[in-house]
Amino acid sequence: YPNPGYSQLTGPPNDLKIVEEWLVDPSRGGLLPNNVKKVKTPKPYPQDIDPKTFDPDLAPPLAEEFDLIFKRLSRERMAMGPARVAGRLYLYFSGHGFCNRSQDKPAEAALYCANATREMYEHIFGTHYARVAVGWALFKEVVLVMDCCRDSEVARVPTPKPYRDTPDDGLAADVQLLSIYAVPKGGKAQERGIAERKGEVHGLLTH
């Protein structure tokens, strides 16, 4: 998070590593490695390479990177017709986050992107993508894990991407959704060094 207003986090790159290990472990997630798509902060970070030429507005990962992967996956699954209602989709997010302050909103959260500023809060609305995956019946099961804060902001509202409404095929009724949030609305997610992980810093939910 190179822009002012966001504290630096150590845990997300480490979190992503152990989540990927879990996903491809045959006794756990059981996914093929090629089926794991990552949108992440690179190492070394561009800011460390040349701060004179680094543009914080282009700090990766960008929301568009994740959206492109989701679009391509959606097209592939929709082309399968009813046969797509099988398997499981995992959506995992780690970093700074926020949620809608309105009390009439269901549980939801969005992840601040690395190029977010206090004025222009670039984000990925994780809950929205999970809802689209369910509504379009892209898989039989959808698992959303958001290891991020859920700051309740006054002037910030998670913004959905312009995906069309649920297809009129009735398949969504057969889809199950599991949503896991690190904290309740307004809560702060925690990261710290984990002794049994050789002192590496991780988000507590992910650990």
Side-chain angles (χ1 to χ4, degrees):
Y1 291 93
N3 291 302
Y6 299 92
S7 62
Q8 299 309 313
L9 299 174
T10 305
N14 299 330
D15 291 342
L16 186 62
K17 179 176 179 289
I18 63 172
V19 168
E20 182 178 15
E21 290 172 352
W22 187 93
L23 288 173
V24 300
D25 187 325
S27 65
R28 295 184 170 95
L31 300 185
L32 297 174
N34 287 342
N35 287 347
V36 179
K37 308 299 181 185
K38 295 174 289 186
V39 179
K40 63 179 183 176
T41 296
K43 284 186 176 183
Y45 198 66
Q47 193 173 20
D48 299 329
I49 298 173
D50 190 353
K52 294 180 181 178
T53 59
F54 176 70
D55 185 352
D57 288 329
L58 297 177
L62 303 171
E64 291 79 6
E65 294 179 71
F66 177 83
D67 190 61
L68 180 59
I69 291 173
F70 189 85
K71 283 179 181 176
R72 289 172 174 169
L73 174 65
S74 298
R75 290 192 188 104
E76 291 173 4
R77 300 297 293 187
M78 292 299 288
M80 297 169 61
R84 70 183 184 273
V85 190
R88 179 182 296 161
L89 172 67
Y90 293 94
L91 297 169
Y92 172 79
F93 301 90
S94 177
H96 285 303
F98 71 104
C99 68
N100 197 317
R101 172 163 284 195
S102 175
Q103 294 300 317
D104 61 354
K105 291 290 184 181
E108 59 182 29
L111 186 82
Y112 285 118
C113 295
N115 64 334
T117 67
R118 298 307 294 174
E119 297 78 23
M120 291 170 280
Y121 54 106
E122 300 286 349
H123 61 277
I124 301 171
F125 191 1
T127 306
H128 167 65
Y129 283 102
R131 291 170 181 162
V132 171
V134 171
W136 290 17
L138 299 181
F139 290 81
K140 176 68 174 178
E141 300 173 340
V142 178
V143 176
L144 171 68
V145 181
M146 301 208 68
D147 195 352
C148 63
C149 296
R150 294 178 67 198
D151 293 341
S152 183
E153 301 279 6
V154 175
R156 300 184 187 195
V157 178
T159 306
K161 288 290 184 178
Y163 287 94
R164 70 183 178 90
D165 293 337
T166 303
D168 188 22
D169 53 18
L171 296 177
D174 296 326
V175 179
Q176 295 179 310
L177 170 66
L178 172 63
S179 299
I180 303 172
Y181 298 95
V183 290
K185 180 177 288 190
K188 292 283 191 183
Q190 301 285 324
E191 68 170 23
R192 66 186 61 162
I194 307 297
E196 55 262 53
R197 295 191 186 277
K198 300 181 180 179
E200 279 194 343
V201 175
H202 286 278
L204 295 188
L205 171 65
T206 300
H207 165 64

